[in-house]
Amino acid sequence: MTRTPPPAPSRRSVLRSLTGAAALGTLAGCGVPAAYVEPGDRSVPDESAADRRLAWANWPLYIDTDDDASRRPTLDAFEKHTGISVGYTEEINDNDEFFGKISPALMNHQRTGRDLIVISDWMCARFVRLGWVQRMDRSRQPNVAEHLDPLLRSPAFDPGRRSTVPWQSGITGIAYDRRRLGREIRGVADLWASDLKGRVTLLSGLDEAFALLMQGDGVDVTRWTADDFHRVCDRVEREVHRGQIRRFTGNDYTKDLVSGDVLACQAYSGDVIQLQADNPDIRFVVPEEGAELWSDSLMIPDRARHKSNAERLIDYYYEPEVAARLAAWVNYVCPVPAAREVLAASRDKDTAALAGNPLIFPDSTLRGRLAVARDITSVERPELAKRWNTIVGL
């Protein structure tokens, strides 16, 4: 039987102070000239052949485990097959916090002590622009080259995905309680209906919230402008003033939805799959206008000592059989579409059913409504963060 994991902690939704967001924007731009690392200064001699190990930092509850939580079947199999020992730590709880933790080493051309990290793509964009990650050797990664989802292959911040590879993806859409609300929700505009007054929440994080709201306004989020952003903020401000929005949240929106205090909210697809196990009346909708497809991605930081070992592990997780086992546990959008056929062939009924879940393997209709949003640049960030955080109350 498929083991249902416990609810995932916040990976995308984190509260940021205005000062923190502004400071990161300055650092990621030209305000700190010493921060940028030239291509020739990013690597050190690779010790992989002589030292069969690597250090991997990830988020909590973001890899398959056995009944014994210390056992990770897919990772254990990699170690056994390759002889590479993986020091796996669940030390990332917040993108900004982790940025602050390792940025002093990276900006000073020092090792971080990690060969592989997983952070959200909007933060990956900063690392790539700062030159804090190494380009991968795709000749060592045939599975990535063959199986990476075409929708995720070339984000604006990393064309061709040479410095980043998606670990898991997800959809930011709308969750609602169909039984309590008594009707369907089809688009972002439905959140502003009178029967939802005071029963709606939006995500507090700028990077997590803005794309879906823009899509509800008819904006192509792959090429949005500052005017698009401010127009959406005007709308959100009006809804706050008239009492439509109960509050802005992190991942605790799930508690409000389960309790019934909130009837509709911005939400992540992976969270809703887990909530539906206990309450099938909770629905997740990709609005008719579209929704954001996001990723948390693997990167090899500068001066990593075991680059080849890290590249090999990344490619291992792009084997469809391995990706299928991981997808069955985490329940996020699988970046390896070929894993769907593996799950569909399972003799276990519950596991096979996952292959037909569009929130794990979006079908062609749904895929047509998903878009990877252009990230916020370092130049834009201070102004946009100030506007958004004023509305949110940070």
Side-chain angles (χ1 to χ4, degrees):
M1 295 292 288
T2 299
R3 181 181 184 275
T4 301
S10 173
R11 283 182 283 275
R12 299 263 304 158
S13 55
V14 292
L15 295 173
R16 292 179 192 80
S17 67
L18 173 58
T19 54
L24 287 172
T26 300
L27 178 59
C30 298
V32 185
Y36 180 76
V37 177
E38 297 288 348
D41 294 329
R42 297 174 190 173
S43 64
V44 295
D46 193 354
E47 302 174 17
S48 294
D51 190 11
R52 309 287 288 170
R53 61 192 174 106
L54 68 93
W56 180 10
N58 203 349
W59 300 77
L61 304 178
Y62 218 12
I63 195 170
D64 54 308
T65 64
D66 208 334
D67 291 332
D68 178 354
S70 66
R71 296 181 58 188
R72 305 177 179 97
T74 58
L75 188 56
D76 294 343
F78 172 81
E79 291 182 311
K80 182 177 180 180
H81 177 70
T82 64
I84 297 172
S85 176
V86 180
Y88 185 86
T89 56
E90 296 183 333
E91 64 170 316
I92 305 176
N93 295 292
D94 178 303
N95 285 289
D96 285 343
E97 177 186 39
F98 190 68
F99 180 98
K101 187 175 185 177
I102 67 173
S103 59
L106 290 165
M107 68 188 298
N108 287 295
H109 304 238
Q110 298 171 352
R111 295 171 178 168
T112 67
R114 301 157 184 86
D115 300 296
L116 196 60
I117 61 177
V118 179
I119 54 178
S120 300
D121 267 0
W122 62 265
M123 180 61 83
C124 290
R126 299 181 189 177
F127 279 71
V128 171
R129 291 193 182 110
L130 286 164
W132 287 2
V133 292
Q134 301 184 58
R135 285 175 66 105
M136 299 182 200
D137 183 351
R138 199 63 84 224
S139 68
R140 298 177 181 271
Q141 298 176 314
N143 291 318
V144 174
E146 180 178 359
H147 296 301
L148 173 58
D149 192 328
L151 284 177
L152 302 171
R153 282 184 180 268
S154 197
F157 72 91
D158 185 21
R161 284 282 186 186
R162 300 312 300 264
S163 299
T164 64
V165 173
W167 170 244
Q168 293 293 289
S169 294
I171 303 168
T172 301
I174 298 171
Y176 67 103
D177 191 314
R178 175 65 178 80
R179 182 181 61 81
R180 287 186 168 118
L181 180 58
R183 64 176 176 86
E184 303 290 340
I185 285 181
R186 293 186 172 85
V188 174
D190 292 341
L191 296 176
W192 319 136
S194 58
D195 60 345
L196 281 172
K197 186 172 183 178
R199 311 291 290 278
V200 174
T201 61
L202 299 180
L203 295 170
S204 59
L206 167 60
D207 297 272
E208 289 78 13
F210 81 92
L212 181 72
L213 299 175
M214 282 188 186
Q215 287 166 306
D217 206 31
V219 174
D220 177 356
V221 294
T222 67
R223 56 185 69 189
W224 59 270
T225 67
D227 288 342
D228 296 327
F229 177 84
H230 288 297
R231 187 167 60 252
V232 163
C233 285
D234 291 342
R235 178 57 187 257
V236 174
E237 277 186 323
R238 291 196 297 271
E239 299 304 333
V240 168
H241 292 154
R242 76 182 187 94
Q244 186 74 10
I245 299 171
R246 182 183 180 88
R247 67 187 185 104
F248 295 87
T249 74
N251 254 40
D252 50 343
Y253 71 82
T254 57
K255 298 178 182 178
D256 292 341
L257 188 61
V258 169
S259 70
D261 290 337
V262 160
L263 297 181
C265 57
Q266 258 189 322
Y268 305 130
S269 54
D271 290 341
V272 175
I273 290 174
Q274 295 171 12
L275 294 178
Q276 288 173 333
D278 294 322
N279 182 357
D281 291 319
I282 292 178
R283 308 286 176 83
F284 182 85
V285 60
V286 172
E288 295 172 344
E289 317 94 296
E292 181 192 13
L293 178 66
W294 51 263
S295 298
D296 294 328
S297 292
L298 297 143
M299 297 193 301
I300 301 173
D302 288 356
R303 297 186 168 262
R305 297 169 55 198
H306 307 95
K307 182 173 183 285
S308 294
N309 289 345
E311 289 170 335
R312 187 171 181 179
L313 185 143
I314 293 169
D315 199 57
Y316 164 77
Y317 274 99
Y318 270 71
E319 293 178 13
E321 294 77 12
V322 178
R325 289 196 291 271
L326 182 62
W329 201 90
V330 299
N331 291 167
Y332 280 86
V333 175
C334 180
V336 182
R340 182 181 182 277
E341 295 181 10
V342 177
L343 288 176
S346 174
R347 295 180 179 179
D348 180 82
K349 180 177 64 175
D350 293 336
T351 300
L354 295 174
N357 190 325
L359 299 185
I360 299 176
F361 298 99
D363 57 29
S364 58
T365 300
L366 180 54
R367 290 171 71 86
R369 301 211 304 273
L370 300 177
V372 178
R374 174 179 77 77
D375 56 291
I376 299 172
T377 69
S378 57
V379 174
E380 296 169 317
R381 185 167 292 276
E383 175 192 350
L384 272 52
K386 182 177 180 179
R387 177 79 195 275
W388 179 255
N389 289 343
T390 297
I391 297 171
V392 173
L394 295 179

